[in-house]
Structures are given as C-alpha cells and as structure tokens.
Amino acid sequence: MGCAVRLLLPVAAKRLTTARRLSTSTSPPATAVLYDHHGPPDQVLRVAELPAAEIGDRDVCVRMLAAPINPSDLNRVEGVYPVRPPLPAAVAGYEGVGQVHALGGAVDSALLSPGDWVIPSPPSLGTWQTYIVKPASAWHRVRSDVPPQYAATVTVNPLTALRMLQHFVNLTPGDTLVQNGATSIVGQCVIQLAKLHGLRTINIIRDRPGSEEAKDKLKQLGADQVFTESQLDIKNIKSLLGALPEPALGLNCVGGNAASVILKFLRQGGTMVTYGGMSKKPVTVSTSSFIFKDLSLRGFWLQKWMSSDKVEESRTMIDYLLDLVHEGKLKYEMELTPFSDFRLALDKALGKHGSQPKQVLKF
C-alpha cells in the first residue's frame, strides 16, 4: 500500500498543478497608458483602467516590471512613425520586461514558469501597462540578476548597436568607426561594444552646455576621440585622426551636417549606415563622395529586421548583451521613475526639464 501511495503522489501533484494553472482564466485588471487619436503626447496620452483579459491555453500573463519611454514611442503617439497601432484605445510602449504571473493550461512549464523574467520578442506594441497577456511564443525568458531597467531597454538600443557593428562592414580589431549622436544610448553601447572587440571609435556630439563633461563620460566608456560638431568645421577634417586609421564604418542618427561630417571622415569604399534622423534634416551627399570615394549609404530599421526570420538570432544577441550587463561591461544612463509619476517621466522624455537620462517606467 505504501508503495502504491508513493506512485500516485506525483500524479496527484500534477493534477493539482494543472487545476491551479487552469483556475486562473483571466488576468488581473490592468492600469495602462492609452491614446485615442494622434497628437502631442502630453495632450493625448491618458492613464486608464483596463478590464481583466482572458488567458488562453497557450497564453502567458505577465506582470510588467519596467518599460522605457523611447523617442519612437512618442513618434507613434504623434502619428509620424511608419508602424502604428489601431485607434482608439491604443496602449503605448514597445519594449519592456515583466515577470510571468500565470500560464495557460497548455504552456510547457519547462519553457516558462511563474516568476521568470521575460521580454516581448520581437518587441510588441502596448507595454505601458501593468499586466499583459500574449501567446507564450511572444515572450523570451531573460536572466533576472540584472537591474530591471537594463532588461527593459536591451532590445531597441543595445541590439541596434550590436547589429550595426556586425552586419554592414567586416570590421577587424584595429579598425575605426565614426558616429554622431554619441551620447545616445545606441552611441554609448557602440563605444563599449567596439572597445570589447578591439575597434576604435571617433564620436561626434552636439555643441551644448556641458559638452566637456559629456566628452569625459564617453572617454570613460572607452571612446578614443570625441569632438563637438563645431570642432569639425575645418577644411582638412582627417588631420584630427592622429594615429587612428580612416574609418571603414559610419553610424548616423542625426542627419544634416552631422551626417556630412561622417562622410568626410570615411575611407575609400567606406559605408555610412543611417538609423535615425534626430535633426529632421536630410542626408546630403556630394557627387565626389560617390565618384572618387565610392562610398556606400545604407539604412537600418530594427523593427523590420526583427520582423523577418531573425527572431532566434536576435534572442541570442539579447542574451549576450545582458551577459555583458551582468559582467559590468555594458552600461548606459537611465532613470527609473514610478509608474504613478508617469506625467513627470513623460515631461522629462519630452525635454521639458532640460537634458535628462532615458526615462524608464517602474511598475
């Protein structure tokens, strides 16, 4: 009899577990940031309560821990980003990290378990809310021994930096790259990742109060050279290279004159990749840049790349980046703000309080 009891115990335990998993058929009600029409974010965004959502057999309910306010998030709200959610009652946000709250009955607990940290992968719209229900395949488990703000922000900016360093030019140790927007999170990640792989960086920042302090911070991250845009307003720009070789790769997120400067730095046959346009000015290229330098101009949009067949590759890269965070080899400036202070975080992200670190909502 005792033996029979021991044999039945695991079966009974399994039935109890299954019952517990199936008993949670809906998520808790969520608090979310929504908008019903496009416009200025500080005017159209609102905080509202959402009803409980049904948890299907293959779904996972996640309690969000943190989510950033990225410029692209604000562009979606404004209606100027190429991919936008349907209106009305669109939930804002695109990336973030959460903790598994409940599993649908058919979800393999060997893949995901309550308490695991997960990120939407590929990123998906609607992360500015306290609970999210999505199919298990939409979530990627990540390590939970890093600060939540890093797990929340690893996909859009650090992954962009790593992908651009690996994809467009075959760089080898000792090669040089040049970038504008170097104080951005992508810029900070480029500097550190380049350093780890034996690459040298020339970094361009805006002329503004505190630019010398910004230069020092970037050099502490591993930047080889840092210049303000006005310092590059000279005829022989390559005289500033010193012992550095001419750059093979340029990364442009600004446009306008800041992009033209990158083209002047590039070596014969070099490549400039544009992944942003913060100045809202076009990239202008001289005829000689094409004819005599044979430069290549490329573009990179992370969302398009991740929407293809690159999900597994991107998840491997994300794990690598979070390993670097855990080892103290990748860091960037952020500020965690409680979700209850969403309006303050939004104002900071909109620049109403001057230059501020990346705002990350803490749920």
Side-chain angles (χ1 to χ4, degrees), residues 78-100:
E78 293 164 339
V80 298
Y81 202 75
V83 177
R84 303 181 294 273
L87 300 175
V91 180
Y94 183 61
E95 66 173 334
V97 65
Q99 189 172 46
V100 173

Side-chain angles (χ1 to χ4, degrees), residues 22-306:
L22 291 176
S23 66
T24 308
S25 59
T26 60
S27 72
T31 304
V33 177
L34 304 95
Y35 55 107
D36 299 309
H37 55 272
H38 297 301
D42 55 349
Q43 296 180 26
V44 301
L45 288 173
R46 60 186 177 88
V47 178
E49 300 299 315
L50 298 180
E54 181 180 353
I55 303 174
D57 278 350
R58 300 186 182 278
D59 288 341
V60 174
C61 175
V62 170
R63 179 177 67 86
M64 292 301 290
L65 300 175
I69 302 178
N70 288 319
S72 56
D73 296 323
L74 302 178
N75 291 156
R76 285 189 182 89
V77 175
E78 293 164 339
V80 298
Y81 202 75
V83 177
R84 303 181 294 273
L87 300 175
V91 180
Y94 183 61
E95 66 173 334
V97 65
Q99 189 172 46
V100 173
H101 176 73
L103 303 174
V107 177
D108 186 353
S109 59
L111 299 177
L112 288 176
S113 299
D116 285 346
W117 280 24
V118 291
I119 62 173
S121 178
S124 57
L125 302 172
T127 57
W128 294 0
Q129 56 182 315
T130 51
Y131 288 91
I132 302 177
V133 175
K134 288 184 181 294
S137 60
W139 299 104
H140 173 53
R141 182 168 56 190
V142 296
R143 61 189 308 157
S144 59
D145 55 356
V146 296
Q149 60 267 37
Y150 281 96
T153 59
V154 68
T155 302
V156 169
N157 291 303
L159 185 57
T160 292
L162 182 59
R163 180 63 182 169
M164 291 193 299
L165 287 177
Q166 292 180 343
H167 178 65
F168 293 96
V169 175
N170 184 22
L171 299 170
T172 58
D175 284 345
T176 301
L177 63 97
V178 57
Q179 66 168 342
N180 56 33
T183 56
S184 68
I185 289 185
V186 172
Q188 294 175 57
C189 290
V190 163
I191 291 169
Q192 295 167 87
L193 293 170
K195 190 78 171 180
L196 286 170
H197 292 86
L199 306 174
R200 316 292 292 275
T201 59
I202 300 167
N203 303 275
I204 304 167
I205 65 174
R206 290 180 298 140
D207 289 274
R208 62 179 184 183
S211 58
E212 291 304 315
E213 180 183 355
K215 285 183 182 181
D216 290 339
K217 287 183 178 180
L218 295 182
K219 287 180 178 178
Q220 289 172 15
L221 293 178
D224 293 281
Q225 297 275 15
V226 186
F227 301 106
T228 59
E229 291 181 16
S230 63
Q231 287 181 290
L232 302 177
D233 189 19
I234 60 176
K235 187 172 183 179
N236 184 16
I237 199 170
K238 290 189 177 179
S239 65
L240 299 172
L241 287 172
L244 295 178
E246 293 178 304
L249 174 66
L251 304 177
N252 165 49
C253 67
V254 179
N257 183 63
S260 301
V261 168
I262 285 180
L263 296 174
K264 292 177 182 178
F265 266 119
L266 289 177
R267 75 185 185 192
Q268 180 81 17
T271 297
M272 182 175 79
V273 180
T274 293
Y275 66 98
M278 292 190 294
S279 71
K280 294 184 171 59
K281 296 179 181 179
V283 174
T284 304
V285 188
S286 67
T287 302
S288 62
S289 293
F290 286 123
I291 296 177
F292 302 117
K293 293 185 69 177
D294 191 24
L295 299 182
S296 297
L297 303 184
R298 302 287 302 276
F300 180 69
W301 184 24
L302 181 75
Q303 184 168 343
K304 180 180 179 181
W305 177 70
M306 292 190 71

Side-chain angles (χ1 to χ4, degrees), residues 281-352:
K281 296 179 181 179
V283 174
T284 304
V285 188
S286 67
T287 302
S288 62
S289 293
F290 286 123
I291 296 177
F292 302 117
K293 293 185 69 177
D294 191 24
L295 299 182
S296 297
L297 303 184
R298 302 287 302 276
F300 180 69
W301 184 24
L302 181 75
Q303 184 168 343
K304 180 180 179 181
W305 177 70
M306 292 190 71
S307 298
S308 59
D309 58 351
K310 304 297 184 182
V311 173
E312 289 306 316
E313 181 181 351
S314 69
R315 290 180 175 185
T316 299
M317 295 167 73
I318 284 168
D319 292 344
Y320 166 71
L321 290 164
L322 288 177
D323 287 346
L324 293 180
V325 170
H326 181 257
E327 295 165 9
K329 296 177 180 177
L330 184 65
K331 56 186 178 181
Y332 41 90
E333 289 188 90
M334 294 175 284
E335 181 180 9
L336 272 174
T337 302
F339 186 42
S340 57
D341 291 331
F342 166 72
R343 287 291 170 187
L344 173 61
L346 178 63
D347 285 348
K348 288 183 176 180
L350 290 170
K352 293 184 179 182

